[in-house]
Amino acid sequence: MAASKSVLVFHTLLPEFEYFRPKTLQEALELLDKYKGDARILAGGTDLLVDMRMRIKQPKYVIDIKGIDELHTLKYEEGKGLTIGATVTLDELLNNKIVKEKYYVLWDAIRQLADTHLRMKATLVGNICNASPAADSAPALLVLKAKVNIASVNGTRTVEIKDFFKWVKKTILEPNEMVTSIFIPEPPEGAKGRYLKFVRSAEDLALVGIAALVANPKDPAKRIVRIALSSVAPTPVIVEEVEELFKQDKPLSELAEEAVKLVMSKVSPITDVRATKELREHMVEFGTRYLLKTLLEG
Amino acid sequence: MAEKLIPITLKVNGKEYKVEVKPNETLLFVLRNKLNIKSVKGTCYRGECGVCTVLLNGKPVKSCLVLAAEADGAEIITLEGLAPFGTLAPIQKAFIEHGAFQCGFCTPGFILTAHWLLTNKPDATEEEIKEVLSGLICRCTGYKQIIEAIKAAAKYYKQDKQKQ
């Protein structure tokens, strides 16, 4: 069904499909259960419509979920966390005070994701469901230990974001399942974060993207350091060993260098049209060191 | 597959249109080919160039990535909507005065985006202007004149805001 990517065919029109705009989640889930792999969920459409134009995806049925009110939740509960519904746009998150203040690493990633125009439509849930290895929001969600809420006609389940991605553009979602929201727990007290994105031009995909989260750097017992990356493996990855490494009572500069080596050993970037493997490895090394230095000292 | 036609209502530049659209027709396609609004153009058809920018419910979007059916009930402003009686808006005048275009192909997208930015943030910094323009491609001007035109037009939007 996927068109051969080696042949460049320029289509200005989308392939034919049937369009549904359900008003309730139940209705959407029933449609998804009926049509399964022949159906696609449409939220922002900034990835789906491009893939359809390129004939990479040719769904027979498109289920537009923007008419479902309950999927447009954006709710913060103090001490618990933030729930972001499937149709909440990146622009809405960028303009949200809580996201900027409490979840800065995510805000920083969204700020650098695509461009102003696309962020008006694109959604956070769409960004992870598209499952690009270069998904900018994924490293931030990984260091924040986000959870993905999934629904089907058979019920609901919740998975850790680190278990959500399976391969390039593949997630653990069954054909009759959809993501209804992302939940991000309250970040560690005093946590600071940043997303460093290497690009060729403003609207480019990440050549390498690195998210870092640091809390209580001076106190080994309470110290939390997390690093996650995009565009360095078939899926976005978190280097979980970094958090354990930083529990040691050693000078921070020493730990930071060990962390850089550890991160380097856990990534496997490839050479493609946008950058070589070697350049990406250099970016991982430089970027990880730079982020750790900036956040540990601050 | 026989495609069902979907009846939709669009309010474009203040005027209401009732049209029937196919599921796979984009907003770009319908504006150009069914409503005959030709300032909205298509080039890359994948959300990269911004030539198809319109204001959808007040926000700049790339209409090549919006299904017409999705836009049912929406309010849309195209370049034509900025000068409904033939009198140019300040941002349009500023583009002329600063030579902010050569071939003019990309200009509607730039003007609509600048209009949206200045309406919401008349004191936008040069960095903010550049950030907002980053999703648009111009192959003639090198952007410098465009940024100058937007900075020059900002004063009219500030005055408008003070009047409110």
Side-chain angles (χ1 to χ4, degrees):
Chain A
M1 149 147 175
S4 167
K5 283 176 205 172
S6 60
V7 183
L8 250 183
V9 185
F10 192 85
H11 296 276
T12 59
L13 293 177
L14 293 168
E16 294 189 355
F17 57 86
E18 201 172 328
Y19 173 82
F20 295 98
R21 193 179 169 97
K23 286 263 188 296
T24 65
L25 180 59
Q26 188 56 31
E27 231 179 298
L29 294 175
E30 278 165 18
L31 284 166
L32 198 54
D33 197 62
K34 184 172 170 193
Y35 298 123
K36 297 197 171 71
D38 288 335
R40 285 280 167 178
I41 298 285
L42 172 71
T46 54
D47 282 315
L48 178 64
L49 297 191
V50 175
D51 283 350
M52 285 169 66
R53 183 100 56 197
M54 312 270 286
R55 305 311 193 251
I56 294 167
K57 288 179 189 146
Q58 300 200 45
K60 292 195 181 101
Y61 309 95
V62 169
I63 306 169
D64 182 355
I65 56 171
K66 286 190 293 296
I68 304 170
D69 288 343
E70 66 184 283
L71 294 182
H72 199 240
T73 317
L74 181 53
K75 191 175 70 186
Y76 172 69
E77 285 175 278
E78 190 143 13
K80 287 186 179 165
L82 180 69
T83 304
I84 301 167
T87 61
V88 174
T89 65
L90 297 174
D91 182 63
E92 286 168 328
L93 294 171
L94 214 47
N95 288 309
N96 185 283
K97 223 174 123 209
I98 294 284
V99 175
K100 189 173 181 183
E101 284 172 7
K102 291 246 170 195
Y103 301 91
Y104 184 82
V105 62
L106 179 64
W107 188 87
D108 201 25
I110 293 172
R111 179 177 71 83
Q112 299 174 67
L113 202 164
D115 60 48
T116 303
H117 301 66
L118 295 182
R119 288 192 297 261
M120 295 292 173
K121 288 209 78 216
T123 63
L124 183 68
V125 169
N127 192 234
I128 67 154
C129 286
N130 188 48
S132 162
D136 282 313
S137 71
L141 293 171
L142 282 163
V143 296
L144 287 166
K145 302 210 166 187
K147 295 178 197 312
V148 184
N149 294 321
I150 298 167
S152 74
V153 286
N154 306 320
T156 60
R157 62 174 175 141
T158 299
V159 302
E160 301 281 337
I161 183 83
K162 71 177 167 62
D163 301 323
F164 182 73
F165 305 109
K166 211 157 85 178
W167 192 247
V168 180
K169 299 254 175 180
K170 297 248 180 323
T171 70
I172 54 128
L173 287 179
E174 296 294 332
N176 70 339
E177 286 183 319
M178 62 178 274
V179 175
T180 51
S181 65
I182 294 173
F183 174 77
I184 318 177
E186 190 85 20
E189 187 72 30
K192 285 184 185 173
R194 267 191 73 181
Y195 179 64
L196 184 64
K197 181 180 179 181
F198 292 92
V199 287
R200 297 165 302 174
S201 62
E203 74 284 7
D204 200 7
L205 298 173
L207 304 175
V208 164
I210 313 172
L213 186 96
V214 171
N216 309 310
K218 308 278 185 279
D219 180 354
K222 286 199 202 156
R223 188 189 291 147
I224 292 171
V225 179
R226 297 180 192 145
I227 301 269
L229 306 96
S230 59
S231 297
V232 296
T235 68
V237 286
I238 181 160
V239 185
E240 291 184 278
E241 296 86 345
V242 168
E243 192 164 343
E244 288 153 47
L245 176 79
F246 273 93
K247 296 286 180 208
Q248 300 175 65
D249 192 3
K250 282 203 224 168
L252 282 175
S253 56
E254 223 171 276
L255 290 174
E257 276 314 301
E258 281 180 42
V260 171
K261 286 201 191 85
L262 188 55
V263 170
M264 292 289 290
S265 73
K266 298 286 175 186
V267 300
S268 51
I270 55 162
T271 293
D272 64 13
V273 290
R274 295 181 298 116
T276 60
K277 178 180 187 292
E278 289 76 17
L279 178 58
R280 285 197 163 98
E281 283 169 347
H282 178 67
M283 288 167 173
V284 171
E285 184 180 357
F286 165 80
T288 305
R289 184 177 293 129
Y290 169 79
L291 280 179
L292 285 174
K293 191 171 156 49
T294 322
L295 292 169
L296 288 170
E297 283 174 3
Chain B
M1 193 194 324
E3 285 188 297
K4 274 188 273 178
L5 287 176
I6 304 167
I8 64 164
T9 307
L10 297 175
K11 196 170 179 186
V12 185
N13 301 327
K15 198 176 156 193
E16 204 168 275
Y17 296 87
K18 288 191 188 304
V19 273
E20 290 197 324
V21 300
K22 286 185 193 167
N24 67 340
E25 285 173 353
T26 58
L27 181 59
L28 164 65
F29 181 91
V30 169
L31 288 173
R32 271 188 77 78
N33 300 313
K34 294 196 166 168
L35 306 186
N36 210 28
I37 293 171
K38 300 292 190 188
S39 74
V40 193
K41 296 181 223 91
T43 300
C44 75
Y45 298 95
R46 47 182 295 166
E48 283 174 6
C49 73
V51 170
C52 64
T53 297
V54 300
L55 302 184
L56 178 70
N57 293 326
K59 292 174 178 171
V61 300
K62 295 174 177 177
S63 62
C64 72
L65 295 186
V66 182
L67 297 179
E70 273 182 80
D72 185 18
E75 260 188 61
I76 292 151
I77 305 279
T78 69
L79 184 69
E80 289 83 350
L82 295 192
F85 306 108
T87 312
L88 296 180
I91 184 73
Q92 293 172 303
K93 282 185 200 155
F95 264 63
I96 295 171
E97 283 160 12
H98 288 80
F101 49 84
Q102 285 180 29
C103 83
F105 193 85
C106 69
T107 309
F110 275 92
I111 290 186
L112 283 167
T113 303
H115 175 73
W116 167 79
L117 175 67
L118 294 178
T119 304
N120 291 288
K121 205 164 189 190
D123 55 354
T125 63
E126 184 161 331
E127 276 313 300
E128 286 168 327
I129 294 171
K130 284 182 183 172
E131 165 60 32
V132 164
L133 298 186
S134 73
L136 305 171
I137 292 176
C138 170
R139 283 292 175 251
C140 303
T141 63
Y143 304 94
K144 192 168 175 289
Q145 296 92 327
I146 295 175
I147 293 162
E148 281 168 6
I150 295 171
K151 280 158 77 179
K155 62 175 180 281
Y156 297 104
Y157 287 85
K158 276 181 204 153
Q159 285 166 6
D160 275 1
K161 210 146 207 184
Q162 278 158 8
K163 275 185 220 158
Q164 282 168 14

